[in-house]
Amino acid sequence: MSYPQPPDTSRSQIRKAGKKLASTTSSQDQLDAAQQLVDQFRAAHQWPMLTARVTLAGRAKRISDRALVVQRLKRMPSILSKLQSGRVKDVSSMQDMGGCRAIMPSIDDVYALAQQYNRPARNSAFDFKLRNDYIDHPKPNGYRGLHYVGAYDSEKREEFKGYAIELQLRTKLMHSWATSVEIVDTFEQSGLKSSKPDEFNSEWDYFFAYAGAAIALQENTPVPEGMPNSKEGVRKALADLDAGRLIQRVNNWSTSMRHITKLGGRGKYFLLSLDADLRSIQIRRFRNSADAEEAYRDLETDSQSDSVLVGGKSMEEIQKAYPNYFADTRRFSALLRTLLK
């Protein structure tokens, strides 16, 4: 099976391409050439990402056979947004261009999996280090999870040496929170994910911060700073916000999803494309990583839809891991409705 190869250029040229994309004075030709180079650099994370996912899946499944493990390349609109806003200064050193995610049934399972990465592994292609502990130190907006980062370093494929991959470890409840944020972002165009985590500009900001506190209390972990520290306190805050109304709006998007079109037969690479206006999702499946990346690149260039290229074992696994693309908020809504009662 073929995988996209690293660009035939230096990291400094990739860095310069990122600066061109961030500049407001770049010509269209400069922007096109820069984006093509950055896109090649992004695509080359496929092999390191797969290597990291295989190990992550093996470790997660030994802890729980209900673990979900998937991979994804960072969306080009997200890369451009980070460059143009100044949140990323050097595209060549981005640590989450390729990412793998393990979604575990419980908080104990997350910690058990984390232990596998907190001690050195022999003969590993990566030496992952904990970069952010958002469980003990949750973001003010309610986001929680563990983030590890490692760079590929194996004689097996030396051309990928130094390519960084991010691992995210979450519980199913943490994941339901994060994907519900993305659903609101998609249908409301609220900018929740791109805003600073300590800035509260709308009722959605408060809603998800309180919801994050509710999940933290459910899992007996620290709540975000400034949030109520008891279930009753969170319940009252959500009730004062009229959270039932917001939950219903989220559920309405879920029930209004009209069409799911599946194209292609076999393979472990899935291209998901959500059209929020039409309430429809198209799913294309590929055997070959390079073919999937080429289709992904064309879709990002030619379409206004929200698209992502992900890898996993089955369609069922992908749907569970990326419920935001199917507007599936059942787990998240059920938790909050129970709390409000």
Side-chain angles (χ1 to χ4, degrees):
M1 182 179 292
S2 62
Y3 291 91
Q5 294 296 298
D8 186 19
T9 188
S10 66
R11 287 293 182 98
S12 64
Q13 292 301 312
I14 297 170
R15 189 179 307 117
K16 289 178 181 178
K19 290 182 178 179
K20 289 290 185 184
L21 292 175
S23 173
T24 58
T25 60
S26 298
S27 69
Q28 190 58 51
D29 287 345
Q30 290 175 323
L31 289 173
D32 291 343
Q35 184 162 335
Q36 182 179 9
L37 181 55
V38 171
D39 189 58
Q40 291 175 344
F41 175 65
R42 175 185 68 161
H45 285 76
Q46 286 275 23
W47 171 258
M49 187 167 58
L50 174 64
T51 304
R53 179 170 70 85
V54 169
T55 301
L56 179 62
R59 292 176 171 181
K61 293 292 186 180
R62 284 194 293 271
I63 294 169
S64 172
D65 59 7
R66 293 184 294 142
L68 289 173
V69 177
V70 291
Q71 67 185 54
R72 68 97 184 97
L73 284 175
K74 196 165 192 68
R75 297 171 59 248
M76 186 57 71
S78 297
I79 296 170
L80 294 176
S81 174
K82 286 191 171 184
L83 286 169
Q84 292 164 358
S85 67
R87 286 177 290 158
V88 168
K89 302 294 185 182
D90 178 6
V91 70
S92 71
S93 64
M94 284 183 67
Q95 297 178 325
D96 62 345
M97 192 75 78
C100 302
R101 180 177 294 154
I103 304 159
M104 308 299 289
S106 72
I107 189 68
D108 289 339
D109 293 330
V110 167
Y111 285 137
L113 181 56
Q115 283 300 314
Q116 300 291 312
Y117 286 95
N118 290 340
R119 52 177 179 259
R122 294 180 180 178
N123 304 319
S124 175
F126 291 90
D127 181 18
F128 282 103
K129 302 293 186 183
L130 181 63
R131 183 182 66 176
N132 297 110
D133 182 348
Y134 292 124
I135 296 180
D136 277 348
H137 307 283
K139 290 186 178 181
N141 63 3
Y143 177 83
R144 296 161 62 247
L146 299 178
H147 290 196
Y148 287 79
V149 171
Y152 186 84
D153 186 9
S154 172
E155 295 180 356
K156 185 176 181 180
R157 301 291 293 269
E158 290 189 351
E159 66 269 31
F160 295 105
K161 184 174 181 179
Y163 275 67
I165 300 297
E166 180 187 68
L167 304 184
Q168 294 181 359
L169 313 186
R170 299 174 174 175
T171 65
K172 288 185 176 181
L173 287 177
M174 294 175 195
H175 189 58
S176 70
W177 180 95
T179 54
S180 294
V181 168
E182 294 189 6
I183 289 171
V184 171
D185 246 359
T186 298
F187 289 96
E188 286 269 312
Q189 297 295 304
S190 58
L192 286 171
K193 283 197 68 176
S194 59
S195 61
K196 294 181 179 179
D198 57 350
E199 287 185 358
F200 289 65
N201 300 312
S202 72
E203 60 184 357
W204 287 113
D205 291 304
Y206 288 96
F207 172 74
F208 281 109
Y210 294 141
I215 295 173
L217 291 167
Q218 181 88 355
E219 295 179 334
N220 197 29
T221 59
V223 302
E225 185 177 353
M227 290 293 106
N229 205 24
S230 68
K231 288 185 178 180
E232 178 57 29
V234 172
R235 187 204 66 76
K236 184 179 184 306
L238 285 169
D240 291 345
L241 194 62
D242 194 10
R245 168 180 55 88
L246 299 179
I247 294 170
Q248 187 57 52
R249 286 175 66 183
V250 174
N251 287 342
N252 288 343
W253 294 319
S254 180
T255 57
S256 68
M257 285 294 289
R258 298 189 182 97
H259 304 291
I260 299 179
T261 305
K262 299 180 182 179
L263 305 175
R266 299 174 181 271
K268 295 184 178 180
Y269 297 94
F270 299 81
L271 182 53
L272 311 181
S273 180
L274 171 66
D275 189 317
D277 292 333
L278 296 179
R279 301 288 200 270
S280 65
I281 180 171
Q282 183 186 85
I283 305 163
R284 299 176 64 186
R285 195 168 184 175
F286 299 84
R287 289 177 181 270
N288 188 285
S289 170
D291 290 344
E293 173 58 32
E294 183 178 357
Y296 186 29
R297 188 182 305 116
D298 291 342
L299 194 60
E300 285 187 318
T301 301
D302 299 333
S303 175
Q304 297 300 313
S305 61
D306 183 352
S307 304
V308 64
L309 177 61
V310 299
K313 290 175 61 178
S314 67
M315 187 65 247
E316 180 183 14
E317 188 175 77
I318 294 298
Q319 190 160 348
K320 289 179 179 178
Y322 292 90
N324 50 304
Y325 277 84
F326 301 86
D328 185 352
T329 61
R330 286 171 293 183
R331 182 185 297 273
F332 179 75
S333 297
L335 171 69
L336 294 187
R337 287 193 186 281
T338 299
L339 180 65
L340 286 171
K341 289 180 182 178

